[in-house]
Amino acid sequence: MNSKAPSAVNLRTPSQKSVSINGAELHYFEWPGAGAPILMAHGTGFHARCWDAVVSLLGDARVIAVEHRGHGRSSKTPPYDWGTLGADMAGVVETLDLREVTGVGHSLGAHVMIQAASAYTARFRNLLAIDPILCTP
């Protein structure tokens, strides 16, 4: 049996911010840090703070976790189709003038992150799509 205590996790506190994109008020949390930004998108029914445990393992990286419209603290402004949510994420990238982005998304979040990266290929460096929901157009 391992008697070593687990190492302390990084418990940085994010700032809560919002931005108006495509007629919706989108909330996001930002952990300031060094280097190119890591942009995170949650799956259906979740919110941005579901990434806290992951962020705690990323050292002093700059991390931005967005809440999709209809989720968390973001406005409950229809439509909620995935094309709109993808356009919202692309709008976040543009409005915050993000560059060299590492996009991370789970399920729906992976889908919209892929849409955002497709819209702004020059602004993305990497994508991590976890359980992406991909369908033919």
Side-chain angles (χ1 to χ4, degrees):
M1 186 164 145
N2 185 352
S3 61
K4 275 182 87 173
S7 61
V9 294
N10 184 350
L11 298 177
R12 297 185 295 153
T13 302
S15 56
Q16 181 180 336
K17 301 177 180 182
S18 66
V19 63
S20 292
I21 304 288
N22 300 325
E25 191 74 15
L26 302 181
H27 284 255
Y28 64 96
F29 291 87
E30 184 169 1
W31 290 260
I38 299 170
L39 181 63
M40 303 183 113
H42 60 80
T44 303
F46 290 92
H47 54 79
R49 296 304 297 271
C50 73
W51 293 107
D52 283 3
V54 174
V55 172
S56 74
L57 301 172
L58 297 176
D60 69 344
R62 179 183 179 202
V63 180
I64 299 166
V66 179
E67 294 185 328
H68 307 298
R69 66 173 64 213
H71 291 76
R73 295 153 192 85
S74 290
S75 66
K76 312 308 184 244
T77 307
Y80 302 115
D81 63 273
W82 289 19
T84 300
L85 299 177
D88 288 349
M89 190 60 67
V92 168
V93 170
E94 180 180 25
T95 301
L96 299 181
D97 194 26
L98 302 178
R99 298 179 187 280
E100 299 295 313
V101 175
T102 293
V104 177
H106 171 249
S107 189
L108 161 70
H111 181 95
V112 302
M113 196 62 70
I114 290 167
Q115 284 183 278
S118 295
Y120 289 106
T121 55
R123 292 178 180 248
F124 279 79
R125 180 175 21 182
N126 301 298
L127 281 177
L128 174 58
I130 305 161
D131 293 331
I133 306 300
L134 301 174
C135 304
T136 56

